[in-house]
Structure formats: structure tokens, C-alpha cells
Amino acid sequence: MNPLIPNGAEHEVVVTGIGLVAGQLTDPEALFDHIAQGRTLITEHPRHKEWGVPCAVSAHIDPQVRQALEDAAPEEAGPLGPAGVLAWHAAAQAWERSGLPRRLDSERGGVFLACNRMVMEPAELTGLAAHVDYGAGAFDLDGYLDADAGPDPRRHARIQPDTATGSLADYFGAAGVLETHADACAAGGMAIGSAYRYIRSGALDVALAGGAESLTTLTSVAAFYGVGALAPSAGKEPAEISRPFDKDRSGFVIGDGAAFLVLESRAHAEARGARILARVAGYAGVTEAVKMTSSSRDGSDYADCIRAALADAGLAPDDIDHINAHATSTQANDTCEAAALHTVFGERAAGVPITGNKSAMGHSLANSGAAEAVLSVLSLQRQTVLPTLNFAEPDEVTAGLDVVTERRAARVTAVLSNSFGFGGQNCSLILAQAG
């Protein structure tokens, strides 16, 4: 667990810019409105269906949108891979919206990116296989390197998550602290939390923090299906498959995307006359080792994480008006999270509006916590709670929670945003009104 900085003892951390790309949408407000209308980003993936993948749906980036983003990246961006291109768009959008100068040129700025490592895809694996002598158990490396279809010399740079981190830091002149997080599904929240810690301690004035993921690929889908995490899609409408907290949930739907926030100390933001969108009021990052794909079924580990974030913010459960849940639509995760919410909020759990954004935008893994933080900022701005799609009936554990199923106007002053990842990586953020 991260060390606790006493509330009020250090610098207040505020949000001054947000950026996002998801599906065919390329800004945060478009996604917020899309979900508010009860619409989904989850569709059939044409190549997965062609390959016979059992879960052939995803919230992938529209090919035309991806091409437009690739074309728009400046030459200075360097060799960006699929996730890096998405990161670049969301980060640049957040930076521009913050009103900061094009280059900060200060050691008091930093970049915090969440992104899991890319994996090899069928064409690359086929190229490798042509140079394997299976009988001898040998691989002809020289032949592979010399072949016309050999490796792209810039591939390593493209697939390394920290390539985008360095490129963004160079471009915006914010190289005081560079971190690349790969904390599974909690990485986006962890990246924001780490940036928050640096600013709160006074080590940084400005941070670009968020996540990017591009893993709606055959290898990744096959791996997640192999561990039983993905929902089967046969005979189901794509829009109805992801159903967090519902008794008939059967797994998550994988997604792509990127989301970033510009964080600053309040003093720095006010000194330059910036518009403050929200505050990062608290954060906790906790690790546990119950099981690779789930936590304690009584929710105790998740509850510890939530309580630690509340303590960091100097808040009580009664101060939370809205919960943006991790809510992956898997049996194990939703059971653990629901139990944790009952434990922390008690009877009040029935009266705190809960939303599961992954019902509409799938699970973009390392990016999910960042995207949900951006949507939480907009909930604070618009005093609106987004719906959880496809929630029809709870089970015995998810019963008693106020799972919002239609767009709801509500008083929202503080949002708890949870991210609970494979391997026991747990994170809770608390975002609050600007004040």
C-alpha cells in the first residue's frame, strides 16, 4: 500500500484537462453522451468472427478512426505502436484543453502512462514458424532476420509501452518524472494515483496521466478466453453481452481506447488562470495475492483499498455521492466488488448510485481506470450519473445496490472510482468537485 500523506498537509491536486478516444468516438463528451443515451460501443469484430474466436465481439477502435489518428500524429511522435497512437491523441487533447503552453520545459512536469505490453499476432507468428525446425527443436534466427518478411526494425520501439511515455514527455517538455504502469486492469488508476502523489508532495507541479490499450487482437483474445475471463458471444446480440452486477453475467468484453487527465497543483493552476474541472481528493493502491483472476470472495481486500482511499481523502463513506465501479461483468469480480461495497457502505449501499461503464465500452484493461476517471470528472461537471447497460436482475450478492439503469440527474460532489486488476492489483480513486 502507498504511504499515507496526511490530508491537508500538502498541495491540493486538481484536474485541468481531459482527453479520450474509444470506439468511433474521439472526445470525452461524445462518449459521455453516447452512454447517457443507453448506447454501446460493443460490436462484432469482423476478423475475430472470420477466425472462429468464441467471443467475437469487442469495443475496438473503428478502423477509419484509427487511420485518421495515425495520420494526425506529428513526426516528432516517433515510432508509435497501436496503443501509442491512441495515447498520443488522448494526451494531446487533454493537454490542449488544459490551456498549458505547448511545451512546459520544466523538470516539475511528468508523464504517467498505463499500458500493458503488446503481443505477437498471427502474421508475425507465421513468419517465425517458417524458420523453426520442429524435429530438431531449433530456430534459424539468421534466416528469420534476413528474410524479406523478417522483423520490422522499429517493432521493438512500437510495442514498448514506455516509447509513448518518452515521446509525450519530449514533445510537451515534461520530463521531470516518467512512469509506465502495467498493473493489469488497475494500471490506469495507478498511473493517475502516482501522479497525484507526486504533485501532492510538492515534487511536481504538472502531470499528464492516463492509459492506453490496443489488445482486441487474436492472441490477447485467445489468452483471456483461455482463462475463462471473456464472455462467450454465440447466439447473443453484441450490445447485450456485457452486464455488470446482473445475475446472468458471464465474463467481460475486451475493448481498446485511451484516456488522459492533466493534473496540477491548485496553486499552479490558479496562478495561470486555468479552468479547474475537478479535484483528485484521494487515492489508494493495494496489492494482494489471493488468486490470479479474483480476490477474496467476501470483498475484504477490495474493501481495504476503498477505505484507504477514503482515509487519504479525509472522507467518510457518507461523503461519497456516486460510485464508478470496476464492474467487469465477470462472476468473480462483480461478486467481490459488490461484497466490498456492502461492507464499506453498509445500509447506505442501497442509496449510493453505482454505474458500470464497461457495460457500454467494454474492458480496455490498463486504460479502463483512466477512462472511468475521465467520465467521473464529467459526472461531477454535469451532475449526472451514467447508466449501467443490461442490468436486469441482481444475484444474492449484488442485490441491495443502487445500480443505475437510466441516465440520472443527481447531486454529485465526490465520486469513488474503483479499478481491481488480475494478480491482486487494486486501486481506488476519489474525485471531487473543484471547490
Side-chain angles (χ1 to χ4, degrees):
M1 187 181 300
N2 297 318
L4 178 68
I5 298 174
N7 186 58
E10 302 290 344
H11 301 269
E12 194 172 15
V13 182
V14 299
V15 181
T16 57
I18 52 175
L20 179 143
V21 57
Q24 74 273 27
L25 308 174
T26 54
D27 68 75
E29 293 79 11
L31 178 61
F32 193 94
D33 292 341
H34 192 86
I35 300 176
Q37 294 163 11
R39 300 165 66 192
T40 187
L41 297 178
I42 298 170
T43 60
E44 189 175 82
H45 193 296
R47 298 203 70 190
H48 292 173
K49 183 180 181 182
E50 173 189 329
W51 289 331
V53 174
C55 32
V57 301
S58 63
H60 50 277
I61 301 297
D62 180 272
Q64 292 182 329
V65 169
R66 185 181 287 279
Q67 186 61 57
L69 297 180
E70 290 178 0
D71 294 342
E75 186 176 342
E76 300 97 311
L80 297 174
V85 168
L86 304 182
W88 191 275
H89 171 81
Q93 184 181 78
W95 191 273
E96 181 179 1
R97 288 176 170 212
S98 75
L100 284 162
R102 157 67 171 78
R103 287 187 60 82
L104 191 64
D105 287 328
S106 171
E107 290 297 309
R108 296 188 60 78
V111 176
F112 300 76
L113 168 65
C115 184
N116 291 307
R117 186 179 295 275
M118 298 295 291
V119 293
M120 299 189 81
E121 285 308 305
E124 295 172 297
L125 294 172
T126 300
L128 281 172
H131 300 279
V132 175
D133 183 335
Y134 293 96
F139 174 60
D140 180 6
L141 178 59
D142 291 336
Y144 173 63
L145 295 175
D146 293 339
D148 291 339
D152 177 353
R154 299 208 300 173
R155 182 183 186 278
H156 180 75
R158 287 193 175 99
I159 66 169
Q160 280 292 104
D162 53 6
T163 297
T165 310
S167 295
L168 288 167
D170 289 343
Y171 188 77
F172 293 112
V177 177
L178 279 66
E179 289 187 0
T180 305
H181 288 255
D183 313 277
C185 312
M190 294 279 199
I192 295 167
S194 185
Y196 155 80
R197 291 288 185 187
Y198 272 97
I199 296 173
R200 188 171 178 178
S201 72
L204 294 178
D205 293 325
V206 178
L208 185 57
E213 202 77 282
S214 187
L215 288 177
T216 57
T217 57
L218 178 62
T219 308
S220 299
V221 168
F224 280 112
Y225 184 77
V227 298
L230 293 187
S233 59
K236 301 177 184 176
E237 289 297 319
E240 299 175 357
I241 293 173
S242 183
R243 41 197 325 114
F245 297 124
D246 189 82
K247 69 177 182 63
D248 292 328
R249 64 189 184 275
S250 59
F252 75 79
V253 174
I254 200 166
D256 295 331
F260 271 83
L261 300 86
V262 173
L263 306 184
E264 299 182 55
S265 68
R266 181 179 285 275
H268 188 275
E270 290 182 343
R272 66 182 188 86
R275 178 179 177 234
I276 296 174
L277 306 178
R279 292 183 296 121
V280 181
Y283 159 70
V286 179
T287 58
E288 37 94 350
V290 175
K291 187 179 179 181
M292 178 60 73
T293 56
S294 68
S295 185
S296 303
R297 288 304 179 100
D298 64 359
S300 56
D301 290 295
Y302 291 0
D304 286 346
C305 185
I306 294 169
R307 286 176 172 142
L310 288 168
D312 187 56
L315 298 177
D318 287 352
D319 296 316
I320 299 297
D321 304 306
H322 170 40
I323 298 167
N324 190 306
H326 188 54
T328 60
S329 185
T330 64
Q331 283 289 336
N333 174 82
D334 290 7
T335 294
C336 297
E337 188 169 16
L341 296 176
H342 282 301
T343 298
V344 174
F345 291 92
E347 293 182 359
R348 191 168 174 269
V352 184
I354 298 170
T355 189
N357 298 147
K358 295 179 184 70
S359 62
M361 64 182 191
H363 189 0
S364 56
L365 307 170
N367 172 60
S368 62
E372 287 156 4
V374 166
L375 293 173
S376 295
V377 168
L378 289 175
S379 281
L380 289 161
Q381 290 272 299
R382 299 186 178 190
Q383 296 292 283
T384 300
V385 176
L386 291 173
T388 303
L389 277 54
N390 305 318
F391 178 79
E393 185 178 348
D395 61 23
E396 60 182 13
V397 182
T398 63
L401 299 178
D402 181 17
V403 180
V404 176
T405 57
E406 294 183 354
R407 177 178 184 162
R408 181 188 300 180
R411 178 177 180 270
V412 184
T413 62
V415 181
L416 168 67
S417 183
N418 291 327
S419 298
F420 302 128
F422 277 9
Q425 306 288 336
N426 303 329
C427 166
S428 291
L429 289 168
I430 295 176
L431 296 119
Q433 284 185 311

